[in-house]
């Protein structure tokens, strides 16, 4: 740092420091975004300091070197009128010479001086400031200038002086008009009597001056508060100040007791009583808000943590059991998404009311209901047997069979329940709630509208899923674990390969081959299906490009698209960019979507499918026949292909029911101008039946299992 910059720091107080520092930095050609941000922050701090504090700098003779705006405002002098003048310009003559002598003796010796000073402004009015004066030292450690930091306390001093005058002029009148209760107590023969009773509050709590002055407190105060009051009175007579609270009838009182000395002996104690009922009620309201859900007014998670910990401790000491029942509304998100959050909140209030109203004491000794947020509720239960908890769960499930009424419309919601108990499922409140949540998750997996008790196996399963999730995240960042295999799709008239279905494979470096069934569901649940689906599309389209370059320019590639990926806002845009970048013929890409995902959010689905059609991409309905029974969507959506699910193909032609279903699907597709592909063809008999029914294409182990891209090329070359 340059000498000029150092001198700038020495010359200026915080008022001009930022400005001078900025000017010096400009001179030195020091400028960067970080410097600008630091200067900006210093400017804000300096401004805040300048607005709230009175600051001045003087030299060792008391000559004013600098002042801030607040100093000028309170003294009513301009900066020009002050700088260069001696600080005596503000002298009010209120303080003695000894007062100022002590001040200068303190600061010139290198110490900080603190005190209250009465000054005179330019307009001859007076003001009080609470002052701290700090010495600045030169290189030899000798004070050469002083910075004073002041706070305006004029208003407080005026009140103080006014109070003194009032007390002096009319003490008892003031005391009588106080809103609080002021008293004195004197000890007489091991008893305590009132020697002063004043203030409006005294009469409000039933202590009347005319009746109780010089009377014993033991004859006045109710027994319910007397013992506590006496305890602090006796403590104060030992010389210790006491502060405590009492509740008298419906009033909350805050009491301060102080010893009153004469000739170094405690002669009396002085007491002050304030009515803090309003404050207490406000505190209780705030506390209630902090520990209760604002929507349902039920105890919240914060209250649960406190209570459950206490109940576990009690269970340890009494050898009784305690447990939790974690309750979640099934598919509640659909309410918010379709009807809006206001309706969702209304349904939550109704659900909370239904849970509060339900009577479980026939099964469980005692219980408390909590609302953890969203659609999650929790019951802490005590004194129960496992069989009785089962009955309680069944009763709760039955209680939610009746619909919720909203604007004359029925809204059906079921619940899922997860249960854990101390100590078998955990010894802390955190463990009990966590494990009940795991059990709830398992109940959801089982199809919802059911209950599950926590087991260690559930936790192992969850841990395994978490491991798969973490490993899958890593796999998506590498280039050597994930790969695509392709299962040929054969034209049943020409017996030629006309397309393939891209199927993802994961070869873990340590665990080896991980089946898709193990990680696809995890990807769906965690949102990893989006990047995973993007990777599959990119790989598949890249492979189409390679095959085109090898002369196989008419091989269609089917790619499975998850519902989440299909409904993602950037799906169409990302796919368009991919096709444009690779210059692949869009008609060679066929997206396979399940029936169920097609029928969610129908309006958006139609828009997306229409955009895909405009791009030239083909759309196939995968696993056709296993989803919704309504077939009207086949006319609504721009679909090109139906894929018959393998469950209907496997037993062909022996199973009469399967024959009927397959024949119906083929006829339906042909009548609608759609192509039909049969999946899971594993024997010649099934193949012959499909040929007889004029199915267009097949795929299955009878022709080939899924193989690598290189093997597909070999198959194409050998045709």
């Amino acid at each position: 740092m340059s000498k000029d910059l150092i001198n700038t720091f020495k010359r200026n107080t915080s008022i001009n420091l930022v400005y001078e520092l900025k000017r010096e930095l400009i001179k030195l050609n020091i400028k960067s975004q970080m410097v600008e941000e630091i200067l900006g922050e210093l400017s804000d701090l300096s401004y805040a300091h300048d607005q709230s504090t009175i600051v001045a700098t003087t030299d060792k003779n008391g000559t004013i070197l600098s002042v801030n705006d607040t100093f000028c405002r309170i003294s009513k002098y301009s900066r020009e009128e002050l700088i260069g003048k001696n600080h005596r310009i503000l002298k009010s003559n209120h303080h003695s010479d000894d007062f100022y002598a002590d001040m200068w003796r303190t600061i010139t010796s290198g110490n900080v001086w603190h005190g209250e000073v009465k000054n005179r402004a330019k307009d001859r009015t007076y003001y009080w400031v609470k002052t701290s004066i700090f010495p600045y030292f030169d290189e030899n450690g000798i004070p050469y200038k002083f910075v004073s930091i002041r706070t305006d306390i004029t208003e407080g001093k005026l009140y103080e002086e006014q109070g003194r005058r009032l007390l002096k002029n009319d003490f008892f009148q003031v005391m009588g008009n106080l809103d609080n209760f002021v008293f004195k107590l004197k000890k007489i023969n091991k008893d305590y009597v009132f020697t002063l009773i004043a203030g409006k509050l005294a009469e409000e709590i039933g202590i009347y001056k005319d009746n109780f002055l010089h009377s014993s407190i033991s004859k006045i105060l109710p027994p319910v508060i007397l013992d506590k009051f006496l305890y602090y009175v006796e403590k104060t007579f030992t010389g210790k100040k006491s502060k405590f609270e009492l509740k008298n009838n419906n009033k909350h009182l805050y009491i301060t007791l102080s010893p009153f000395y004469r000739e170094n002996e405690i002669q009396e104690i002085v007491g002050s009583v304030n009515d803090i009922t309003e404050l207490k009620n406000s505190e209780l309201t705030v506390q209630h808000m902090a520990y209760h859900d604002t929507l349902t007014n039920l105890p919240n998670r914060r209250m649960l943590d406190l209570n459950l910990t206490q109940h576990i401790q009690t269970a340890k000491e009494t050898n009784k059991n305690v447990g939790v029942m974690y309750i979640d509304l099934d598919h509640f998100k659909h309410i918010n998404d379709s009807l809006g959050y206001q309706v969702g909140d209304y349904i939550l209030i109704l659900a909370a009311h239904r849970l509060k109203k339900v009577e479980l004491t026939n099964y469980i000794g005692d219980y408390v209901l909590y609302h953890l947020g969203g659609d999650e509720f929790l019951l802490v239960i005590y004194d129960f047997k496992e069989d009785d908890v089962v009955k309680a769960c069944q009763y709760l499930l039955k209680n939610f069979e009746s619909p919720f009424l909203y604007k004359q419309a029925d809204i059906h919601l079921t619940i899922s329940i997860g249960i854990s108990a101390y100590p078998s499922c955990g010894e802390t409140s955190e463990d009990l709630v966590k494990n009940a949540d795991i059990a709830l998750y398992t109940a959801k997996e089982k199809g919802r509208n059911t209950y599950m008790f926590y087991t260690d196996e559930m936790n192992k399963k969850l841990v395994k899923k978490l491991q798969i999730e973490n490993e899958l995240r890593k796999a998506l960042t590498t280039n050597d674990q994930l790969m695509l295999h392709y299962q040929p799709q054969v034209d049943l008239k020409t017996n030629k390969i006309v397309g393939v279905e891209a199927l993802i494979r994961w070869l873990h470096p340590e665990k080896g081959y991980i089946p898709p069934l193990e990680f696809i569901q995890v990807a769906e649940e965690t949102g990893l299906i989006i990047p995973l689906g993007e990777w599959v599309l990119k790989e598949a389209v890249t492979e189409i490009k390679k095959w085109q370059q090898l002369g196989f320019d008419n091989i269609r590639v089917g790619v499975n698209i998850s519902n989440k990926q299909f409904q993602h806002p950037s799906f169409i845009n990302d796919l368009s960019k991919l096709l444009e970048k690779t210059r692949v013929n869009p008609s060679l890409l066929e997206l396979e979507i399940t029936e169920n995902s097609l029928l969610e959010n129908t309006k958006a689905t139609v828009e997306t499918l229409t955009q895909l059609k405009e791009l030239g991409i083909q759309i196939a309905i995968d696993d056709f026949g296993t989803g919704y029974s309504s077939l009207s969507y086949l006319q609504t959506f721009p679909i090109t292909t139906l894929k018959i699910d393998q469950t209907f193909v496997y037993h062909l032609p022996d199973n009469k029911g399967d024959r009927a279903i397959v024949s119906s699907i083929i006829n339906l597709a042909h009548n609608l101008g759609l192509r039909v592909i049969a999946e899971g063809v594993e024997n010649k008999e099934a193949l012959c039946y499909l040929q007889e029914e004029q199915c267009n294409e097949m795929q299955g182990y009878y022709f080939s299992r899924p193989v690598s891209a290189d093997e597909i090329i070999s198959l194409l070359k050998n045709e």
Side-chain angles (χ1 to χ4, degrees), residues 350-398:
L350 293 181
H353 180 69
R354 188 173 291 189
L355 287 169
K356 280 191 288 186
K357 193 173 65 172
V358 75
E359 183 57 62
L360 298 178
T361 51
N362 293 332
Y363 315 104
I364 298 166
D366 199 7
Y367 57 92
V368 179
L369 177 65
Y370 298 82
H371 184 196
L372 305 189
D375 62 332
E376 296 179 342
F377 297 86
L378 187 140
L379 282 167
V380 175
I381 56 177
Y382 324 99
D383 299 335
F384 56 87
K385 297 178 181 178
E386 185 172 316
D387 290 345
D388 292 332
V389 174
V390 170
K391 294 174 184 176
C393 288
Q394 291 170 343
Y395 183 70
L396 282 169
L397 295 174
K398 186 174 181 60

Side-chain angles (χ1 to χ4, degrees), residues 53-56 64 67-78 82 86-95 99-100 115-131 148-158 161:
T53 310
I54 304 163
V55 186
I64 298 172
V67 294
N68 71 344
D69 292 339
T70 307
F71 192 109
C72 295
R73 186 173 67 252
I74 194 170
S75 70
K76 298 182 175 62
Y77 285 99
S78 67
L82 290 170
N86 192 281
H87 213 284
R88 285 192 294 272
I89 190 174
L90 303 171
K91 195 171 182 181
S92 66
N93 295 322
H94 174 80
H95 306 286
F99 176 87
Y100 291 104
E116 296 178 351
V117 182
K118 185 177 182 180
N119 284 337
R120 185 172 64 187
K122 182 179 178 181
D123 63 358
R124 316 296 288 178
T125 58
Y126 295 98
Y127 62 94
W128 281 89
V129 285
K130 188 172 184 179
T131 304
S148 62
I149 309 295
R150 298 176 172 90
T151 305
D152 183 11
I153 59 171
T154 306
E155 187 175 352
K157 279 291 183 180
L158 289 174
E161 289 179 11

Side-chain angles (χ1 to χ4, degrees), residues 554-585:
N554 59 349
I555 301 300
R556 184 185 66 250
V557 176
V559 177
N560 290 283
I561 301 296
S562 75
N563 186 31
K564 287 184 179 179
Q565 186 181 7
F566 181 73
Q567 293 184 355
H568 196 274
S570 66
F571 175 62
I572 294 294
N573 187 50
D574 292 344
L575 185 54
S576 299
K577 287 181 179 179
L578 177 61
L579 292 171
E580 184 179 348
K581 181 180 178 181
T582 56
R583 295 184 179 180
V584 163
N585 183 353

Side-chain angles (χ1 to χ4, degrees), residues 158 160-170:
L158 289 174
E160 185 178 311
E161 289 179 11
Q162 183 182 15
R164 278 199 296 268
R165 286 197 305 270
L166 289 171
L167 285 171
K168 186 176 181 180
N169 296 335
D170 201 348

Side-chain angles (χ1 to χ4, degrees), residues 173-202:
Q173 182 180 349
V174 173
M175 295 295 286
N177 286 298
L178 287 175
D179 287 330
N180 60 347
F181 166 29
V182 178
F183 62 88
K184 279 186 180 181
L185 287 176
K186 189 173 184 177
K187 189 173 184 179
I188 300 176
N189 298 328
K190 296 184 180 181
D191 203 355
Y192 303 97
V193 298
F194 284 110
T195 58
L196 171 69
I197 296 174
K200 296 177 182 177
L201 182 60

